[in-house]
Amino acid sequence: MFEAPDSPFLVPFDGSFRVADAETRTTGHKKTHLQKRLKVATRQLENLQRLLYANDSHALLLVFQGMDASGKDSTIRRVMRRISPTGCQATGFKRPVSNELDHDFLWRTTLALPQRGRIGVFNRSQYEEVLAVRVHPEMLGDQRLPLRSVERSTWDERLESILDQEKHLARNGTTILKFWLNVSAEEQKKRLLSRLDEPEKLWKFNPDDTVERRYWDRYMLAYEEALNATSRPWAPWFAIPADRKPYMRAAVAELIVASLLTLAMEWPEPGAKEQERFDAARRALEGE
């Protein structure tokens, strides 16, 4: 089973992670150097994705979570830009619609899981059910659940279900990497204001984002508990400093590359019978 690569941003597996201790900004890295690191990593990722596709025995699931304006969209776009569309599928999860609410909370994300040989990208995920829904438990009223009342066990049980599913997926060849893009409240404010100031970003602005800032502390508590409960060697969380986008993108890309390299994949070689067919095809082509 896959195990997480070493990283200063790896969320420990012993429940000792504290949001208050997690960095939101790094210093000492020039932008040009970070851009070069990203370029190198995305080229490596391009080749590794082709190898993953050719092997057809592993899948890669990348989960991106973060507060609004933490940089999920741009990070996914920049890190995955060299990947062939045939080998990658990206899914964004918004508030569940009626059909999704008629199923258990893992149903809609399960439908979007990547098949073997492909990379799946979740922009938000099943974790919204223990983050946004935990901060706003009134959302449970729309989920048609046989709940007596909302209790602490509600969130513990959901985290347990997520953990069980991730372990099952890992046992069956899915490498899971989860990235919490840890943006500060101050940087989020700057980015939200920039959406109002720049015409090409205005479409991204949602007034509800400013309302959610009032619940910042509740979100941080929900993140802390979710990451501690579900960061495991086979499905690790990484708390990535997100105040500097160039650093965030390079760090994410390099972690993906390091994880794929641990799979030690090689180009498939034909068996004896298949080689005979290849040889026959070669003779036929050369004889035309």
Side-chain angles (χ1 to χ4, degrees):
M1 188 183 293
F2 163 81
E3 292 198 6
D6 290 332
S7 167
F9 308 123
L10 176 65
V11 174
F13 309 136
D14 59 4
S16 62
F17 175 72
R18 297 294 176 266
V19 164
D21 297 331
E23 297 180 4
T24 63
R25 185 176 183 83
T26 59
T27 59
H29 303 273
K30 292 184 178 180
K31 184 177 180 179
T32 53
H33 177 63
L34 294 171
Q35 290 172 332
K36 183 177 180 179
R37 282 173 53 185
L38 177 62
K39 186 176 182 179
V40 170
T42 54
R43 284 180 174 173
Q44 290 177 295
L45 183 55
E46 178 185 18
N47 293 328
L48 286 165
Q49 181 270 322
R50 293 174 59 237
L51 189 56
L52 181 77
Y53 192 84
N55 272 258
D56 198 26
S57 57
H58 298 275
L60 175 63
L61 175 61
L62 308 175
V63 175
F64 289 86
Q65 289 286 160
M67 297 294 285
D68 297 307
S70 60
K72 296 182 294 296
D73 291 337
S74 64
T75 298
I76 292 168
R77 183 171 63 251
R78 294 294 297 275
V79 170
M80 308 302 290
R81 62 181 176 175
R82 298 181 69 94
I83 299 297
S84 169
T86 60
C88 181
Q89 58 198 60
T91 309
F93 294 98
K94 299 183 182 296
R95 190 161 181 162
V97 297
S98 180
N99 182 47
E100 294 168 336
L101 292 170
D102 272 332
H103 295 83
D104 68 274
F105 78 94
L106 289 174
W107 180 77
R108 64 175 184 159
T109 50
T110 299
L111 291 179
L113 288 171
Q115 65 198 65
R116 290 187 179 92
R118 293 171 64 89
I119 299 174
V121 182
F122 284 2
N123 186 341
R124 301 190 187 274
S125 67
Q126 65 272 23
Y127 281 94
E128 288 297 301
E129 295 293 329
V130 292
L131 295 169
V133 179
R134 182 168 184 172
V135 172
H136 299 286
E138 64 274 12
M139 292 181 181
L140 289 172
D142 297 329
Q143 296 190 6
R144 306 155 197 175
L145 298 171
L147 291 176
R148 291 76 58 198
S149 61
V150 180
E151 301 173 351
R152 168 65 191 228
S153 60
T154 300
W155 316 116
D156 290 342
E157 289 169 0
R158 288 194 166 197
L159 288 166
E160 183 180 3
S161 294
I162 292 172
L163 190 62
D164 287 344
Q165 187 192 46
E166 290 179 344
K167 191 164 189 178
H168 167 76
L169 292 171
R171 283 171 172 164
N172 286 274
T174 298
T175 296
I176 304 169
L177 300 176
K178 298 172 294 189
F179 301 101
W180 175 45
L181 306 186
N182 182 21
V183 68
S184 66
E186 294 77 13
E187 180 63 21
Q188 187 204 48
K189 178 181 177 179
K190 288 172 54 179
R191 293 179 187 177
L192 291 175
L193 286 171
S194 74
R195 292 179 179 181
L196 289 170
D197 294 337
E198 301 175 35
E200 69 274 17
K201 293 183 179 180
L202 184 58
W203 66 273
K204 297 176 68 176
F205 185 79
N206 183 347
D208 290 342
D209 294 345
T210 62
V211 176
E212 289 303 286
R213 283 176 57 83
R214 303 173 191 170
Y215 302 95
W216 190 275
D217 290 343
R218 293 189 192 179
Y219 272 106
M220 293 303 104
L221 176 61
Y223 269 108
E224 185 170 287
E225 296 205 5
L227 270 59
N228 274 320
T230 60
S231 188
R232 296 294 184 270
W234 58 85
W237 275 105
F238 296 93
I240 307 294
D243 280 5
R244 292 187 67 201
K245 288 185 177 182
Y247 183 88
M248 173 175 59
R249 294 164 182 164
V252 167
E254 289 170 348
L255 280 167
I256 297 171
V257 168
S259 299
L260 286 174
L261 287 173
T262 67
L263 300 179
M265 296 179 292
E266 297 181 355
W267 293 105
E269 295 185 1
K273 289 186 178 180
E274 192 173 22
Q275 187 61 56
E276 289 178 5
R277 295 181 60 198
F278 288 176
D279 293 340
R282 175 185 293 277
R283 290 192 296 272
L285 287 169
E286 291 177 344
E288 288 182 358

